[in-house]
Amino acid sequence: MNKKKHWDNAHAARQVCELSWYEQLPAVSLRMIKNSAVTTDTPLIDAGGGASLLVDYLLEEGYRDITVLDLSGVALDKARRRLGERASGVKWMEQDITCFEAERKYGLWHDRALFHFLTLKSDRTKYIETLTKSLHPGGQFVLSAFALDGPVKCSGLDVVRYDADRLQGELGEGFTLLEQEQVLHQTPAQKEQLFGFYRFIKH
Ligand SMILES: C[S@@+](CC[C@H](N)C(=O)[O-])C[C@H]1O[C@@H](n2cnc3c(N)ncnc32)[C@H](O)[C@@H]1O
């Protein structure tokens, strides 16, 4: 099955709050975005945002230039329906991140649990090239991925697990780590998954 079909099916099969990665309050992402001190008119992108509630909270906090990118149109439709009229204030991009050519620069790029699905080195290289091109100098990258002691699979797919050193190795010298935090995520099925959250700055 191709990737898009896989993710459309995964999002269609369950309600948003039943997905293993669901967070009622994306507290660590919000805190790291706040810590980045980006202004509310800074362009932000949530790569692999799916139907996450992060965009709802960012809108509530007054961020005005938000893009949500995801391969799954089903996920984006769910987010748009939930937001109702507020959805028109968000840019929605149904795209594979490994084919994404950003037409503008962002001040902050957020990714919770997309990058770790890129098991091919060539896909990770493409992602990091696009990330690097798309971020302004001084732009920030907030990433969350399964930690080294986290699960080896999610949604039936293999993942690559990370710690700060491995991520730094992927990103290279153009990025500096500013903060990190480990979080034990409780899935709706009451399983525990260890995530790492990282905030990098691009030079
Ligand atoms: C585990 S979910 C996380 C969703 C969201 N970030 C959250 O925290 O709730 C991973 C998301 O990445 C999306 N995705 C997977 N591979 C992708 C790709 N190559 N390009 C864009 N999105 C992708 C999936 O459709 C899914 O919505």
Side-chain angles (χ1 to χ4, degrees):
M1 194 191 302
N2 75 29
K3 269 193 289 187
K4 178 174 163 48
K5 208 164 185 125
H6 171 89
W7 284 107
D8 273 341
N9 288 348
H11 283 286
R14 293 198 165 79
Q15 291 188 29
V16 174
C17 64
E18 295 169 340
L19 296 165
S20 63
W21 53 87
Y22 171 72
E23 288 182 300
Q24 191 178 12
L25 174 66
V28 183
S29 295
L30 286 166
R31 187 162 63 247
M32 288 199 175
I33 292 170
K34 202 162 210 169
N35 290 351
S36 76
V38 291
T39 57
T40 50
D41 54 4
T42 299
L44 313 182
I45 182 165
D46 189 13
S52 161
L53 274 69
L54 181 66
V55 59
D56 308 42
Y57 286 99
L58 291 174
L59 286 169
E60 252 168 54
E61 292 191 9
Y63 293 95
R64 294 192 292 272
D65 191 345
I66 306 167
T67 299
V68 179
L69 177 150
D70 202 280
L71 185 58
S72 167
V74 172
L76 296 178
D77 276 345
K78 287 192 179 195
R80 280 193 288 255
R81 273 204 299 277
R82 184 181 67 232
L83 284 165
E85 280 180 8
R86 293 191 301 156
S88 61
V90 176
K91 295 161 199 70
W92 304 93
M93 302 185 88
E94 187 179 328
Q95 289 227 5
D96 185 330
I97 196 72
T98 61
C99 306
F100 176 50
E101 299 292 343
E103 283 168 5
R104 57 193 300 236
K105 300 258 187 204
Y106 297 95
L108 187 137
W109 176 303
H110 174 269
D111 171 343
R112 174 172 176 267
L114 159 55
F115 183 73
H116 69 194
F117 287 108
L118 304 181
T119 52
L120 294 178
K121 179 69 186 158
S122 54
D123 284 346
R124 295 196 293 277
T125 301
K126 178 70 197 350
Y127 180 108
I128 290 163
E129 273 172 15
T130 307
L131 167 75
T132 306
K133 268 197 268 171
S134 313
L135 276 179
H136 285 296
Q140 306 216 9
F141 176 39
V142 174
L143 175 73
S144 172
F146 283 157
L148 296 184
D149 293 336
V152 293
K153 278 182 183 275
C154 176
S155 185
L157 301 176
D158 290 339
V159 302
V160 181
R161 297 175 296 172
Y162 291 97
D163 61 7
D165 286 345
R166 280 197 191 177
L167 277 174
Q168 189 72 67
E170 295 283 345
L171 289 167
E173 290 175 357
F175 287 82
T176 297
L177 181 65
L178 298 177
E179 61 171 323
Q180 61 174 309
E181 187 170 332
Q182 287 219 328
V183 174
L184 201 54
H185 170 66
Q186 186 113 31
T187 73
Q190 306 305 318
K191 290 199 177 121
E192 291 186 333
Q193 300 180 327
L194 192 60
F195 277 81
F197 282 75
Y198 308 86
R199 181 163 64 90
F200 290 90
I201 188 164
K202 187 195 127 169
H203 303 296

